[in-house]
Amino acid sequence: MSQQTAGIHHITAFVKNAQDNVDFYAGILGLRLVKKTINFDAPEVYHLYFGNEVGSPGTAITFFPWETARHGRIGGGQVGYTTFLVPVGSLDFWEKRLDKFQVEYRRIERFQEIYLQFADKDGLQLEIVEREGGPASQWTFGGIPADKAIKGFGGAILYSVAPKHTMEVLEKLMGLTRVGEENGLVRFQAPGDLGNIIDVNAEPMPRGAGGAGTVHHIAWRAKDDQDHRLWQSRVAQSGFHPTDIIDRQYFHAIYFREPGEILFEIATDPPGFERDEPFESLGEKLMLPEWYEPHRAEIEQGLPPIAVHVLAEDKE
Ligand code: ZN
């Protein structure tokens, strides 16, 4: 049996304001802020992780909020839409909720499914779809009951500058199965039950520009370190240039740019976000890798204070 990823591990994007980011993803979408840390490559910037109650692989959307960043332009070489999965029967609830927070959305149909498409404050393109499958989130927040909560990712729409090549990478390297084509999108499926439906534009798309409101990379799941090392050698054997294995504290990572110019990461499921904080207080303290611990005071001083709180609209 050839190697297959179970689906998306996490998706990472750039935004401007950290508190706006918390208010949108925790306050409106009801995800749990499971980790508050810094960009290990730029310690003056937060790295915020939101997900289900523990940020399981397939649920974690992560951000680098950088106030002075310029806005990017969504386009080829990026994830175009990030898709969140909600329980069957909860789309009406989400429509009302987006209305309540004055988030503009449109209702569209594709591959016989209804999607609510909207954007966060920085213009990052998001959508919500109902589907069976995938474990229910155990996290409730604000006005969102557990049976309506976002379960994690449904998948994503990839915007490729060379879709034929991107699709070949998805099928031959990542082990996804092509399952359909409709209205200029080709659909692929991974074997996992979260983050497993990936749509790709059939015709090449003009290149976007990185910056606030765009996705930086999409990470795919590796089962463990052994599986991860195998991925690294298979990526190299396929003619791409994976990085060394990098310790991201909560997973191990390799990165490579696929020929459609989307930055792919492959990340291990373990150890996860409970590695350095207990379940009850995940995301509450600024967590630093040990090599930054001696600089904690100055790092904390350089970061804007943020707090997860129930928004006014949920108190009415
Ligand atoms: Zn990543």
Side-chain angles (χ1 to χ4, degrees), residues 173 231-242:
L173 178 57
W231 276 116
Q232 189 191 33
S233 57
R234 284 194 58 234
V235 169
Q237 281 158 17
S238 304
F240 307 119
H241 303 284

Side-chain angles (χ1 to χ4, degrees), residues 238-260:
S238 304
F240 307 119
H241 303 284
T243 62
D244 289 338
I245 292 172
I246 301 170
D247 181 4
R248 293 301 189 197
Q249 296 287 297
Y250 310 106
F251 45 84
H252 289 145
I254 59 167
Y255 304 83
F256 67 101
R257 203 169 285 282
E258 58 82 34

Side-chain angles (χ1 to χ4, degrees), residues 10 12 47 62 217 219 251 255 265:
H10 64 270
T12 297
H47 192 180
T62 97
H217 64 266
F251 45 84
Y255 304 83
E265 174 183 344

